[in-house]
Amino acid sequence: MREAAFVKQNKDKWLEFESVLANKINIDPDLLSDLYIEVTDHLSYAKTFYKNSNTERYLNQLASSAHQNIYKTKKEPKNRLISFFKTEFPTMFYQHQRELLITFLTFTLFVIVGAFSAANEGDFVRSFLGDGYVNMTLENIKKGDPMAVYKQQGEFNMFLGITLNNIKVALFAFGYGIMLGVGTLYIMMQNGIMLGSFQYFFYEQGLLWESARTIWIHGTIEISVIVIAGCAGLVMGNGILFTGTLPRLESFKRGVINGLKILMSTIPFFIIAGFLEGFVTRHTEMPDWLAILIIGGSLALILFYYVIYPIQLHRKLKKLTEFKNTIELTN
């Protein structure tokens, strides 16, 4: 690769990293360490192919500054968990909006496929959801309580069981990413078809609104974070497929680490979803406005934390970089 092309490909990343160091932006030590490793990889590349060049000297200076910062901040802060959710994760997740979009579109596509299949094949819902569940639901409909399934267990037991089951699904969605991301997309397909056929089943019974206002009280967060766990699986798979300037093993390690961070971010949301399903969803007598408020609030929370907030942090960092460059040009 020509030196000019190498610089053009990585310049923005170097400048952002330099801005973090120069402006003493408080970021997590592990994230700082990851950035340092990437810069040193680029420095090694420059030493091999562009020996004694300006690029090598610049990267050497940047790596030295980063090294000093790492040793200054290597002690774990007391608010490590807070900094992870507030700064470290959203900053990192901005880089993976594309994978999030792919998993969301894949899931949505198969929701449509599931609904279409249920509409055109009489036994499709039974084959996918099982005779036991379908017969039980039909019996509940006859009794005048179609959502009675959410009232069968005790509140805490249901909360605990649902939360653990959702985390298990998320682990599968992430773990199957090792199959170059194909396994993750299969999990998205499976869950998408299940949701689509499930909702069509209630539509066919004339209970679409009744089911939607009840199910999506917990389902808004539950389904969203399953899609986000799928994003984590794709991040790991892409670490194998698309290495950039990194060695494949190093790229894979970063994919695994970033995927695990994404997965870790979903745990509080799975707990919230489990709480809502165990303690709130069962109250089918609640007014429509309250159900809509919970659903809308849940959707706003997910969109803000996983889409809007990472973009805001990225723009803030970019402005700091541009400001620094402007100062340098005027000096």
Side-chain angles (χ1 to χ4, degrees), residues 91-201:
T91 302
M92 179 276 295
F93 192 65
Y94 176 81
Q95 306 166 23
H96 302 298
Q97 298 286 304
R98 183 183 64 177
E99 288 92 338
L100 178 62
L101 179 62
I102 290 171
T103 50
F104 171 73
L105 292 177
T106 301
F107 184 83
T108 302
L109 171 64
F110 285 106
V111 168
I112 296 169
V113 169
F116 181 81
S117 300
N120 289 277
E121 297 180 30
D123 294 331
F124 184 81
V125 174
R126 288 183 176 274
S127 65
F128 220 89
L129 300 179
D131 287 330
Y133 179 82
V134 172
N135 291 336
M136 176 191 66
T137 303
L138 290 173
E139 188 64 29
N140 289 336
I141 291 171
K142 288 180 182 178
K143 293 177 181 178
D145 192 3
M147 299 291 110
V149 65
Y150 296 107
K151 307 172 186 178
Q152 290 182 340
Q153 288 183 286
E155 294 174 337
F156 181 77
N157 288 339
M158 190 170 188
F159 156 67
L160 187 62
I162 290 295
T163 301
L164 293 176
N165 181 69
N166 288 339
I167 291 174
K168 182 180 77 173
V169 173
L171 286 171
F172 277 120
F174 169 67
Y176 280 11
I178 196 71
M179 300 164 61
L180 305 181
V182 175
T184 293
L185 294 179
Y186 172 77
I187 296 294
M188 294 300 101
M189 178 193 74
Q190 193 176 45
N191 283 273
I193 290 175
M194 184 181 299
L195 177 61
S197 59
F198 179 77
Q199 287 285 215
Y200 186 84
F201 169 70

